Amino acid sequence: MFGSINSSGAVIDCIAEGSAYDIVLPNQTERVQNIAVDIGGSLAKVVYYTTAAVGRQGGGRLHFKAFETDHLDLCIEFMCGLVDRSRIRDPTDGPPAEPVIMATGGGAHRFGAELRSRLGVEIRVVDEMESLTAGLNFLMREVADEVFTYSEARGQKFVSPVSEAEDLFPYMLVNIGSGVSILKVTGEGQYERISGTSLGGGTFWGLLHELTGVTSFDAMLETTKSGDNTKVDMMVGDIYGTNYDKIGLKATNIAATMGGVYRKGLDKQYSDADIARSLLYMVSNNIGQIAYLNAQLHGIRRIYFGGYFIRGHPLTMHTLSYAIDFWSKGMISALFLRHEGYLGATGALLRGEAAPTRRRACSFTENFSVAEPAAGDSSGVSALGMLDQQADRLERLPQLALPYVPDTVDLAADEGQRLAWLAALERSAHELVALVERGALDAGSSDHVGTEDRVDAGRIRAFSILYARHLQRLGAQPLAYGALTVRGILGLREQCLREVGLGDVFAAVKRRETKAALAALPQCVAQTDVLAERERLLALLGNALAGNMFDWGASELHGALASGALDLAAARERISYSPQRLNNPGAFADRVIAQGYKRVLVFVDNSGADVVLGVLPLARVLTQTGATVVLAANSRPALNDVTEGELKDIVAEAALVDESLAAAVDEERLLVCASGSAGPCVDLRRLDPRLVALAQAADLVILVGMARAIVSNYHARFTCDSLRIAVFKNKMTADAAGANVFDSLCLYVPGGGSKE
């Protein structure tokens, strides 16, 4: 999929100084804890869960792999390797338990004895329908871009994820394999088969084989792309010569499948491709009508389609969508799934006694650093990442107003923004290599320089190659990894860094800049303490904006940051409180003076001057007015963003030189908590539960930084007051907001209000 990137996750082939060498991805040699397989008539799908990842916190990882059932030996050989990896001993846990493989699908029965004999472990068979529904429930909750609609006119459109049971159930699953089963699902483990039909994928394959001689299903689907069913079918126009408006039939509607073949008067000339398209329409339209009628009968408005017949084939999805839209008169949409081929295997794995979700509530995040083609996908567009388990179940911010879309720009829909961002991020990856090779990210000369302070040049080059190839793929196929957003590709950058073993590239820079900022903190505070109340608040907001300029994620600032030419005063000179519609610092100052706040939640951004000289002095004054301030920092490193652990140390050191901060810390009016985020942006639906608990009574939310306040959450609404503090540090974000580079965003919005 990615040229010289081994998609099995083992090796990245890189070039360094004219010689080739391999970089092994450290996270691809983990211990396997759970294995499940779904063996169907055409594909065998394997889902497995690994633990003890190097450089990753909070849990394990789900992997997806598919094989053709005709080559089951390859699948069994792969599973043998997984069984061997499941026996790797973790010294902290003692000897591992003997593995049990969960199996589902018809092949679990047909090939069960062979699996037991060759793998030498227990094979536990799980009901196929139970596995399908369990897998679907899990994936809809955990994968942000799992569900989508499709039509030729609108293309692929992703549906907002669901988190609450009342938003998920009831639904209908139409599983299309050789035949069709229709399941009604009303809750976890609550389902029944309410209908089905023998007119399914097998009907299409069998008839097309007999009529054209084609033997490969992939070849059959490919044939449909160039076919014209009107050369085979009898159309309404063939009968009436025009539309039949009285009963709502267009001339282009099919009156009789294959009905045009025997009408000599129509003199239709046709090819095998025309027959293929006609049969595809026949099967899909009938399945769509049966699905719609069952939905009507049972009062269900969500219809999900899955099964090997679909396989990501655009024409098949369009036909099913057209049928549902036609029969429901536009009231219901057909819903499709990126992991549809893996529903059974995922559900079977979750039924295991040692399944990750059985031990505790948790959340998963899709990681595309090493991607697999979707199971059986014939379009060549879709790819699936690994699912990384988080330490806890991430939760929604209580003050977040719904509906909520975290992303400001849809890069798939906006070609100009897409091309600009992809090009800029590819350049930034190469610039990062240059920074490392110049030693700009190493510890300063006054610090002790150990091996942990140096960024490995070979690994950073491996990252650059890996990330660039992902960006190039997304340039050619924007929806390959789900919805294409800036938040997604910035997160992908961090995933690629971690996957090559680079957990915190800017660690030394952050220590150096934080040390310098802490030394400047007493003078910075003293300069604002002498001001009148309103003037002081405005000055603090100005410092927060200036501090936000210290961002190694902004290529425009690399030169100034690397040379040390940027200080707080110089940063303030670059900032303009424009455009006026995006800046109202006076309104915020007046609100603080008039009423104050009880609890303030601040999503902080960068380490160094940003948090020390920008955020901390503002938080300090808010605590002086009686507020409790909660500082939310990244759970894991991303660029030079400050992490929870780093921020706790910073606050402790700042308290040593400032009595007001010390009192706030001692009285627990200044708190630090992890946000749950591992990237520059923040999804306010997926926060650390400890932070959500601390935020329950918050009456002000502050978002600091371009990634948190502009790239994401620019359109977010809150039930409480909110304040966005950021600088437009590149042309793409500025253009999207109608601003200029280095314009400011200092926007106060009262609770329940809109900034528009």
Side-chain angles (χ1 to χ4, degrees), residues 443-475:
S445 58
S446 61
D447 296 325
H448 171 70
V449 182
T451 56
E452 72 279 2
D453 294 307
R454 291 194 178 97
V455 179
D456 185 274
R459 291 187 182 276
I460 203 68
R461 285 191 287 269
F463 152 75
S464 180
I465 293 172
L466 175 64
Y467 188 48
R469 289 178 179 168
H470 281 294
L471 295 175
Q472 290 159 12
R473 177 170 175 82
L474 291 170

PDB file of all heavy atoms in Angstrom, residues 443-475:
ATOM      1  N   ALA A 443      19.745  19.070  23.747  1.00  0.00           N
ATOM      2  CA  ALA A 443      19.881  19.914  24.935  1.00  0.00           C
ATOM      3  C   ALA A 443      20.926  20.986  24.688  1.00  0.00           C
ATOM      4  O   ALA A 443      21.860  20.805  23.907  1.00  0.00           O
ATOM      5  CB  ALA A 443      20.267  19.064  26.141  1.00  0.00           C
ATOM      6  N   GLY A 444      20.762  22.118  25.337  1.00  0.00           N
ATOM      7  CA  GLY A 444      21.696  23.233  25.165  1.00  0.00           C
ATOM      8  C   GLY A 444      23.071  22.915  25.721  1.00  0.00           C
ATOM      9  O   GLY A 444      23.262  21.961  26.480  1.00  0.00           O
ATOM     10  N   SER A 445      24.043  23.745  25.390  1.00  0.00           N
ATOM     11  CA  SER A 445      25.432  23.492  25.796  1.00  0.00           C
ATOM     12  C   SER A 445      25.629  23.535  27.305  1.00  0.00           C
ATOM     13  O   SER A 445      26.569  22.963  27.832  1.00  0.00           O
ATOM     14  CB  SER A 445      26.359  24.522  25.131  1.00  0.00           C
ATOM     15  OG  SER A 445      25.963  25.838  25.492  1.00  0.00           O
ATOM     16  N   SER A 446      24.724  24.234  27.993  1.00  0.00           N
ATOM     17  CA  SER A 446      24.867  24.338  29.456  1.00  0.00           C
ATOM     18  C   SER A 446      24.272  23.136  30.169  1.00  0.00           C
ATOM     19  O   SER A 446      24.444  22.982  31.365  1.00  0.00           O
ATOM     20  CB  SER A 446      24.174  25.618  29.948  1.00  0.00           C
ATOM     21  OG  SER A 446      22.788  25.572  29.640  1.00  0.00           O
ATOM     22  N   ASP A 447      23.559  22.298  29.436  1.00  0.00           N
ATOM     23  CA  ASP A 447      22.941  21.114  30.032  1.00  0.00           C
ATOM     24  C   ASP A 447      23.831  19.900  29.821  1.00  0.00           C
ATOM     25  O   ASP A 447      24.651  19.842  28.916  1.00  0.00           O
ATOM     26  CB  ASP A 447      21.572  20.840  29.394  1.00  0.00           C
ATOM     27  CG  ASP A 447      20.592  21.962  29.677  1.00  0.00           C
ATOM     28  OD1 ASP A 447      20.671  22.531  30.771  1.00  0.00           O
ATOM     29  OD2 ASP A 447      19.763  22.263  28.793  1.00  0.00           O
ATOM     30  N   HIS A 448      23.629  18.916  30.676  1.00  0.00           N
ATOM     31  CA  HIS A 448      24.281  17.632  30.450  1.00  0.00           C
ATOM     32  C   HIS A 448      23.608  16.957  29.259  1.00  0.00           C
ATOM     33  O   HIS A 448      22.393  16.799  29.218  1.00  0.00           O
ATOM     34  CB  HIS A 448      24.146  16.734  31.682  1.00  0.00           C
ATOM     35  CG  HIS A 448      24.615  15.325  31.429  1.00  0.00           C
ATOM     36  ND1 HIS A 448      25.940  15.014  31.248  1.00  0.00           N
ATOM     37  CD2 HIS A 448      23.919  14.167  31.304  1.00  0.00           C
ATOM     38  CE1 HIS A 448      26.054  13.704  31.044  1.00  0.00           C
ATOM     39  NE2 HIS A 448      24.841  13.169  31.075  1.00  0.00           N
ATOM     40  N   VAL A 449      24.380  16.592  28.251  1.00  0.00           N
ATOM     41  CA  VAL A 449      23.821  15.994  27.038  1.00  0.00           C
ATOM     42  C   VAL A 449      24.046  14.490  27.091  1.00  0.00           C
ATOM     43  O   VAL A 449      25.160  14.008  26.883  1.00  0.00           O
ATOM     44  CB  VAL A 449      24.462  16.594  25.760  1.00  0.00           C
ATOM     45  CG1 VAL A 449      23.827  15.976  24.528  1.00  0.00           C
ATOM     46  CG2 VAL A 449      24.303  18.104  25.753  1.00  0.00           C
ATOM     47  N   GLY A 450      23.013  13.762  27.401  1.00  0.00           N
ATOM     48  CA  GLY A 450      23.078  12.315  27.390  1.00  0.00           C
ATOM     49  C   GLY A 450      22.411  11.766  26.153  1.00  0.00           C
ATOM     50  O   GLY A 450      21.828  12.495  25.355  1.00  0.00           O
ATOM     51  N   THR A 451      22.480  10.461  25.997  1.00  0.00           N
ATOM     52  CA  THR A 451      21.883   9.868  24.801  1.00  0.00           C
ATOM     53  C   THR A 451      20.384  10.096  24.757  1.00  0.00           C
ATOM     54  O   THR A 451      19.795  10.187  23.674  1.00  0.00           O
ATOM     55  CB  THR A 451      22.173   8.351  24.766  1.00  0.00           C
ATOM     56  OG1 THR A 451      21.694   7.771  25.997  1.00  0.00           O
ATOM     57  CG2 THR A 451      23.657   8.087  24.608  1.00  0.00           C
ATOM     58  N   GLU A 452      19.740  10.239  25.934  1.00  0.00           N
ATOM     59  CA  GLU A 452      18.303  10.454  25.956  1.00  0.00           C
ATOM     60  C   GLU A 452      17.933  11.849  25.485  1.00  0.00           C
ATOM     61  O   GLU A 452      16.774  12.135  25.197  1.00  0.00           O
ATOM     62  CB  GLU A 452      17.748  10.207  27.365  1.00  0.00           C
ATOM     63  CG  GLU A 452      18.107  11.270  28.404  1.00  0.00           C
ATOM     64  CD  GLU A 452      19.504  11.104  28.992  1.00  0.00           C
ATOM     65  OE1 GLU A 452      20.209  10.170  28.556  1.00  0.00           O
ATOM     66  OE2 GLU A 452      19.880  11.891  29.866  1.00  0.00           O
ATOM     67  N   ASP A 453      18.908  12.761  25.424  1.00  0.00           N
ATOM     68  CA  ASP A 453      18.646  14.135  25.009  1.00  0.00           C
ATOM     69  C   ASP A 453      18.813  14.321  23.506  1.00  0.00           C
ATOM     70  O   ASP A 453      18.487  15.381  22.977  1.00  0.00           O
ATOM     71  CB  ASP A 453      19.578  15.102  25.738  1.00  0.00           C
ATOM     72  CG  ASP A 453      19.298  15.124  27.230  1.00  0.00           C
ATOM     73  OD1 ASP A 453      18.137  15.329  27.597  1.00  0.00           O
ATOM     74  OD2 ASP A 453      20.237  14.906  28.008  1.00  0.00           O
ATOM     75  N   ARG A 454      19.375  13.337  22.827  1.00  0.00           N
ATOM     76  CA  ARG A 454      19.608  13.454  21.397  1.00  0.00           C
ATOM     77  C   ARG A 454      18.526  12.682  20.636  1.00  0.00           C
ATOM     78  O   ARG A 454      18.221  11.546  20.964  1.00  0.00           O
ATOM     79  CB  ARG A 454      20.987  12.903  21.026  1.00  0.00           C
ATOM     80  CG  ARG A 454      22.146  13.740  21.542  1.00  0.00           C
ATOM     81  CD  ARG A 454      23.447  13.332  20.847  1.00  0.00           C
ATOM     82  NE  ARG A 454      24.561  14.153  21.301  1.00  0.00           N
ATOM     83  CZ  ARG A 454      25.414  13.796  22.254  1.00  0.00           C
ATOM     84  NH1 ARG A 454      25.260  12.633  22.857  1.00  0.00           N
ATOM     85  NH2 ARG A 454      26.399  14.593  22.607  1.00  0.00           N
ATOM     86  N   VAL A 455      18.010  13.322  19.606  1.00  0.00           N
ATOM     87  CA  VAL A 455      17.022  12.661  18.753  1.00  0.00           C
ATOM     88  C   VAL A 455      17.775  11.848  17.716  1.00  0.00           C
ATOM     89  O   VAL A 455      18.638  12.381  17.004  1.00  0.00           O
ATOM     90  CB  VAL A 455      16.105  13.694  18.071  1.00  0.00           C
ATOM     91  CG1 VAL A 455      15.105  12.990  17.181  1.00  0.00           C
ATOM     92  CG2 VAL A 455      15.397  14.537  19.118  1.00  0.00           C
ATOM     93  N   ASP A 456      17.487  10.563  17.615  1.00  0.00           N
ATOM     94  CA  ASP A 456      18.171   9.673  16.682  1.00  0.00           C
ATOM     95  C   ASP A 456      17.889  10.095  15.245  1.00  0.00           C
ATOM     96  O   ASP A 456      16.735  10.108  14.803  1.00  0.00           O
ATOM     97  CB  ASP A 456      17.714   8.235  16.923  1.00  0.00           C
ATOM     98  CG  ASP A 456      18.476   7.248  16.054  1.00  0.00           C
ATOM     99  OD1 ASP A 456      18.050   7.044  14.905  1.00  0.00           O
ATOM    100  OD2 ASP A 456      19.482   6.695  16.529  1.00  0.00           O
ATOM    101  N   ALA A 457      18.945  10.454  14.514  1.00  0.00           N
ATOM    102  CA  ALA A 457      18.780  10.952  13.146  1.00  0.00           C
ATOM    103  C   ALA A 457      18.222   9.886  12.216  1.00  0.00           C
ATOM    104  O   ALA A 457      17.434  10.189  11.306  1.00  0.00           O
ATOM    105  CB  ALA A 457      20.118  11.470  12.617  1.00  0.00           C
ATOM    106  N   GLY A 458      18.620   8.645  12.432  1.00  0.00           N
ATOM    107  CA  GLY A 458      18.096   7.573  11.583  1.00  0.00           C
ATOM    108  C   GLY A 458      16.604   7.385  11.764  1.00  0.00           C
ATOM    109  O   GLY A 458      15.855   7.225  10.793  1.00  0.00           O
ATOM    110  N   ARG A 459      16.166   7.448  13.006  1.00  0.00           N
ATOM    111  CA  ARG A 459      14.731   7.279  13.261  1.00  0.00           C
ATOM    112  C   ARG A 459      13.927   8.470  12.739  1.00  0.00           C
ATOM    113  O   ARG A 459      12.808   8.301  12.269  1.00  0.00           O
ATOM    114  CB  ARG A 459      14.489   7.070  14.753  1.00  0.00           C
ATOM    115  CG  ARG A 459      15.007   5.735  15.266  1.00  0.00           C
ATOM    116  CD  ARG A 459      14.604   5.461  16.700  1.00  0.00           C
ATOM    117  NE  ARG A 459      15.164   4.206  17.155  1.00  0.00           N
ATOM    118  CZ  ARG A 459      14.615   3.015  16.939  1.00  0.00           C
ATOM    119  NH1 ARG A 459      13.487   2.941  16.256  1.00  0.00           N
ATOM    120  NH2 ARG A 459      15.183   1.915  17.379  1.00  0.00           N
ATOM    121  N   ILE A 460      14.484   9.666  12.848  1.00  0.00           N
ATOM    122  CA  ILE A 460      13.729  10.820  12.364  1.00  0.00           C
ATOM    123  C   ILE A 460      13.613  10.773  10.843  1.00  0.00           C
ATOM    124  O   ILE A 460      12.603  11.194  10.273  1.00  0.00           O
ATOM    125  CB  ILE A 460      14.363  12.146  12.847  1.00  0.00           C
ATOM    126  CG1 ILE A 460      13.299  13.265  12.838  1.00  0.00           C
ATOM    127  CG2 ILE A 460      15.542  12.555  12.008  1.00  0.00           C
ATOM    128  CD1 ILE A 460      12.218  13.102  13.853  1.00  0.00           C
ATOM    129  N   ARG A 461      14.631  10.247  10.164  1.00  0.00           N
ATOM    130  CA  ARG A 461      14.512  10.082   8.708  1.00  0.00           C
ATOM    131  C   ARG A 461      13.491   9.005   8.373  1.00  0.00           C
ATOM    132  O   ARG A 461      12.743   9.122   7.398  1.00  0.00           O
ATOM    133  CB  ARG A 461      15.881   9.756   8.109  1.00  0.00           C
ATOM    134  CG  ARG A 461      16.807  10.959   8.024  1.00  0.00           C
ATOM    135  CD  ARG A 461      18.041  10.657   7.187  1.00  0.00           C
ATOM    136  NE  ARG A 461      18.978   9.785   7.886  1.00  0.00           N
ATOM    137  CZ  ARG A 461      19.971  10.215   8.659  1.00  0.00           C
ATOM    138  NH1 ARG A 461      20.146  11.513   8.850  1.00  0.00           N
ATOM    139  NH2 ARG A 461      20.788   9.361   9.244  1.00  0.00           N
ATOM    140  N   ALA A 462      13.454   7.949   9.180  1.00  0.00           N
ATOM    141  CA  ALA A 462      12.445   6.903   8.971  1.00  0.00           C
ATOM    142  C   ALA A 462      11.044   7.472   9.145  1.00  0.00           C
ATOM    143  O   ALA A 462      10.131   7.177   8.367  1.00  0.00           O
ATOM    144  CB  ALA A 462      12.669   5.755   9.952  1.00  0.00           C
ATOM    145  N   PHE A 463      10.892   8.314  10.172  1.00  0.00           N
ATOM    146  CA  PHE A 463       9.598   8.972  10.373  1.00  0.00           C
ATOM    147  C   PHE A 463       9.223   9.810   9.159  1.00  0.00           C
ATOM    148  O   PHE A 463       8.084   9.774   8.685  1.00  0.00           O
ATOM    149  CB  PHE A 463       9.645   9.869  11.610  1.00  0.00           C
ATOM    150  CG  PHE A 463       8.697  11.034  11.525  1.00  0.00           C
ATOM    151  CD1 PHE A 463       7.330  10.853  11.706  1.00  0.00           C
ATOM    152  CD2 PHE A 463       9.168  12.309  11.214  1.00  0.00           C
ATOM    153  CE1 PHE A 463       6.458  11.922  11.583  1.00  0.00           C
ATOM    154  CE2 PHE A 463       8.299  13.381  11.107  1.00  0.00           C
ATOM    155  CZ  PHE A 463       6.933  13.182  11.287  1.00  0.00           C
ATOM    156  N   SER A 464      10.166  10.586   8.646  1.00  0.00           N
ATOM    157  CA  SER A 464       9.882  11.480   7.526  1.00  0.00           C
ATOM    158  C   SER A 464       9.394  10.706   6.312  1.00  0.00           C
ATOM    159  O   SER A 464       8.440  11.107   5.635  1.00  0.00           O
ATOM    160  CB  SER A 464      11.140  12.286   7.177  1.00  0.00           C
ATOM    161  OG  SER A 464      10.888  13.147   6.094  1.00  0.00           O
ATOM    162  N   ILE A 465      10.037   9.576   6.037  1.00  0.00           N
ATOM    163  CA  ILE A 465       9.626   8.750   4.899  1.00  0.00           C
ATOM    164  C   ILE A 465       8.242   8.157   5.136  1.00  0.00           C
ATOM    165  O   ILE A 465       7.363   8.198   4.272  1.00  0.00           O
ATOM    166  CB  ILE A 465      10.660   7.633   4.654  1.00  0.00           C
ATOM    167  CG1 ILE A 465      11.980   8.237   4.175  1.00  0.00           C
ATOM    168  CG2 ILE A 465      10.144   6.625   3.638  1.00  0.00           C
ATOM    169  CD1 ILE A 465      13.119   7.248   4.095  1.00  0.00           C
ATOM    170  N   LEU A 466       8.036   7.619   6.338  1.00  0.00           N
ATOM    171  CA  LEU A 466       6.749   6.996   6.674  1.00  0.00           C
ATOM    172  C   LEU A 466       5.608   8.006   6.581  1.00  0.00           C
ATOM    173  O   LEU A 466       4.584   7.764   5.921  1.00  0.00           O
ATOM    174  CB  LEU A 466       6.827   6.412   8.087  1.00  0.00           C
ATOM    175  CG  LEU A 466       5.549   5.808   8.678  1.00  0.00           C
ATOM    176  CD1 LEU A 466       5.105   4.600   7.881  1.00  0.00           C
ATOM    177  CD2 LEU A 466       5.760   5.428  10.147  1.00  0.00           C
ATOM    178  N   TYR A 467       5.790   9.149   7.200  1.00  0.00           N
ATOM    179  CA  TYR A 467       4.728  10.159   7.239  1.00  0.00           C
ATOM    180  C   TYR A 467       4.462  10.731   5.846  1.00  0.00           C
ATOM    181  O   TYR A 467       3.302  10.922   5.449  1.00  0.00           O
ATOM    182  CB  TYR A 467       5.127  11.267   8.209  1.00  0.00           C
ATOM    183  CG  TYR A 467       4.045  12.283   8.489  1.00  0.00           C
ATOM    184  CD1 TYR A 467       2.744  11.885   8.804  1.00  0.00           C
ATOM    185  CD2 TYR A 467       4.330  13.648   8.466  1.00  0.00           C
ATOM    186  CE1 TYR A 467       1.758  12.819   9.078  1.00  0.00           C
ATOM    187  CE2 TYR A 467       3.354  14.588   8.747  1.00  0.00           C
ATOM    188  CZ  TYR A 467       2.064  14.170   9.044  1.00  0.00           C
ATOM    189  OH  TYR A 467       1.083  15.099   9.311  1.00  0.00           O
ATOM    190  N   ALA A 468       5.521  10.984   5.090  1.00  0.00           N
ATOM    191  CA  ALA A 468       5.353  11.541   3.750  1.00  0.00           C
ATOM    192  C   ALA A 468       4.552  10.599   2.864  1.00  0.00           C
ATOM    193  O   ALA A 468       3.711  11.046   2.064  1.00  0.00           O
ATOM    194  CB  ALA A 468       6.716  11.830   3.127  1.00  0.00           C
ATOM    195  N   ARG A 469       4.770   9.311   3.001  1.00  0.00           N
ATOM    196  CA  ARG A 469       4.030   8.365   2.157  1.00  0.00           C
ATOM    197  C   ARG A 469       2.559   8.302   2.545  1.00  0.00           C
ATOM    198  O   ARG A 469       1.691   8.146   1.691  1.00  0.00           O
ATOM    199  CB  ARG A 469       4.690   6.987   2.228  1.00  0.00           C
ATOM    200  CG  ARG A 469       6.024   6.980   1.489  1.00  0.00           C
ATOM    201  CD  ARG A 469       6.731   5.662   1.578  1.00  0.00           C
ATOM    202  NE  ARG A 469       7.982   5.732   0.837  1.00  0.00           N
ATOM    203  CZ  ARG A 469       8.930   4.814   0.907  1.00  0.00           C
ATOM    204  NH1 ARG A 469       8.765   3.758   1.683  1.00  0.00           N
ATOM    205  NH2 ARG A 469      10.034   4.949   0.214  1.00  0.00           N
ATOM    206  N   HIS A 470       2.276   8.452   3.820  1.00  0.00           N
ATOM    207  CA  HIS A 470       0.873   8.548   4.230  1.00  0.00           C
ATOM    208  C   HIS A 470       0.231   9.797   3.628  1.00  0.00           C
ATOM    209  O   HIS A 470      -0.890   9.753   3.114  1.00  0.00           O
ATOM    210  CB  HIS A 470       0.776   8.610   5.758  1.00  0.00           C
ATOM    211  CG  HIS A 470       0.924   7.289   6.432  1.00  0.00           C
ATOM    212  ND1 HIS A 470       0.015   6.264   6.287  1.00  0.00           N
ATOM    213  CD2 HIS A 470       1.882   6.815   7.275  1.00  0.00           C
ATOM    214  CE1 HIS A 470       0.405   5.220   7.004  1.00  0.00           C
ATOM    215  NE2 HIS A 470       1.524   5.534   7.612  1.00  0.00           N
ATOM    216  N   LEU A 471       0.922  10.913   3.694  1.00  0.00           N
ATOM    217  CA  LEU A 471       0.372  12.165   3.160  1.00  0.00           C
ATOM    218  C   LEU A 471       0.154  12.072   1.656  1.00  0.00           C
ATOM    219  O   LEU A 471      -0.855  12.567   1.128  1.00  0.00           O
ATOM    220  CB  LEU A 471       1.314  13.326   3.485  1.00  0.00           C
ATOM    221  CG  LEU A 471       1.481  13.665   4.970  1.00  0.00           C
ATOM    222  CD1 LEU A 471       2.527  14.759   5.147  1.00  0.00           C
ATOM    223  CD2 LEU A 471       0.159  14.087   5.600  1.00  0.00           C
ATOM    224  N   GLN A 472       1.077  11.429   0.973  1.00  0.00           N
ATOM    225  CA  GLN A 472       0.924  11.271  -0.474  1.00  0.00           C
ATOM    226  C   GLN A 472      -0.269  10.385  -0.805  1.00  0.00           C
ATOM    227  O   GLN A 472      -0.998  10.654  -1.768  1.00  0.00           O
ATOM    228  CB  GLN A 472       2.213  10.691  -1.059  1.00  0.00           C
ATOM    229  CG  GLN A 472       3.369  11.678  -1.041  1.00  0.00           C
ATOM    230  CD  GLN A 472       4.722  11.014  -1.138  1.00  0.00           C
ATOM    231  OE1 GLN A 472       4.832   9.812  -1.443  1.00  0.00           O
ATOM    232  NE2 GLN A 472       5.787  11.770  -0.867  1.00  0.00           N
ATOM    233  N   ARG A 473      -0.481   9.358  -0.006  1.00  0.00           N
ATOM    234  CA  ARG A 473      -1.658   8.505  -0.238  1.00  0.00           C
ATOM    235  C   ARG A 473      -2.941   9.297  -0.005  1.00  0.00           C
ATOM    236  O   ARG A 473      -3.892   9.194  -0.774  1.00  0.00           O
ATOM    237  CB  ARG A 473      -1.626   7.286   0.676  1.00  0.00           C
ATOM    238  CG  ARG A 473      -2.876   6.398   0.537  1.00  0.00           C
ATOM    239  CD  ARG A 473      -2.726   5.094   1.267  1.00  0.00           C
ATOM    240  NE  ARG A 473      -3.955   4.326   1.218  1.00  0.00           N
ATOM    241  CZ  ARG A 473      -4.336   3.563   0.205  1.00  0.00           C
ATOM    242  NH1 ARG A 473      -3.583   3.495  -0.873  1.00  0.00           N
ATOM    243  NH2 ARG A 473      -5.467   2.887   0.243  1.00  0.00           N
ATOM    244  N   LEU A 474      -2.959  10.092   1.037  1.00  0.00           N
ATOM    245  CA  LEU A 474      -4.146  10.894   1.324  1.00  0.00           C
ATOM    246  C   LEU A 474      -4.367  11.961   0.263  1.00  0.00           C
ATOM    247  O   LEU A 474      -5.500  12.364   0.007  1.00  0.00           O
ATOM    248  CB  LEU A 474      -4.026  11.525   2.708  1.00  0.00           C
ATOM    249  CG  LEU A 474      -4.109  10.534   3.874  1.00  0.00           C
ATOM    250  CD1 LEU A 474      -3.747  11.218   5.183  1.00  0.00           C
ATOM    251  CD2 LEU A 474      -5.498   9.917   3.968  1.00  0.00           C
ATOM    252  N   GLY A 475      -3.290  12.424  -0.369  1.00  0.00           N
ATOM    253  CA  GLY A 475      -3.444  13.350  -1.467  1.00  0.00           C
ATOM    254  C   GLY A 475      -4.139  12.704  -2.646  1.00  0.00           C
ATOM    255  O   GLY A 475      -4.962  13.331  -3.330  1.00  0.00           O
TER     256      GLY A 475
END
